[in-house]
Amino acid sequence: MKKLIFLSLCIVSVTGCTKEKFAINHSFWYRSATADDLAAYGIDELTLFVDGIEISTNDAYVHYTGEPGCGTGNFVYMDNMFKRENKTHSYTILDEGDSLIFSGSFQMKQKTGCEATELVFGF
């Protein structure tokens, strides 16, 4: 009987201490001026890499008039994070010829749920 009670307490304590993760989004977007500049350089597609991992490839002509809503944009990166967790990631965006077009870093905060980075093209 003591073993059963002990085992029950162990199971309750283990499951009670598990942490829940929450899906957090970070959007990358740009305005029509950047889309026009990309087109002027003959750039048709862009590919997002976060921490060296390919996330997605999208058409370069798509643009926004203002910051898009949560979970939308030219690119959206999603991460699962614990409560009150912060993470810093690096990103690169390459064109179809593997030329570097955008790069930088961004921070994700579980507390905010959504963040966005506006991309501005220029050489």
Side-chain angles (χ1 to χ4, degrees):
M1 183 68 169
K2 287 182 181 180
K3 288 182 181 180
L4 182 60
I5 293 172
F6 179 73
L7 181 61
S8 296
L9 287 173
C10 288
I11 291 172
V12 168
S13 70
V14 168
T15 58
C17 293
T18 59
K19 293 183 177 183
E20 185 178 356
K21 286 191 168 189
F22 301 90
I24 309 301
N25 294 309
H26 190 96
S27 300
F28 298 87
W29 66 282
Y30 48 83
R31 298 179 190 272
S32 62
T34 293
D36 292 345
D37 288 345
L38 292 168
Y41 280 92
I43 298 170
D44 297 319
E45 289 184 337
L46 296 172
T47 302
L48 170 67
F49 294 83
V50 175
D51 298 330
I53 298 170
E54 184 176 336
I55 304 302
S56 65
T57 299
N58 293 320
D59 293 325
Y61 67 84
V62 177
H63 62 275
Y64 294 83
T65 57
E67 185 174 319
C70 182
T72 60
N74 295 87
F75 298 98
V76 177
Y77 174 70
M78 192 203 72
D79 198 354
N80 292 313
M81 299 173 65
F82 294 113
K83 190 174 183 179
R84 293 189 289 280
E85 184 177 14
N86 296 325
K87 290 183 181 178
T88 301
H89 298 284
S90 63
Y91 71 90
T92 55
I93 298 178
L94 307 179
D95 69 7
E96 59 269 24
D98 290 334
S99 294
L100 178 64
I101 305 301
F102 303 104
S103 67
S105 63
F106 64 98
Q107 188 174 45
M108 297 179 77
K109 301 174 186 174
Q110 189 280 327
K111 185 177 180 180
T112 59
C114 290
E115 298 285 336
T117 297
E118 181 179 2
L119 303 169
V120 179
F121 185 70
F123 282 111

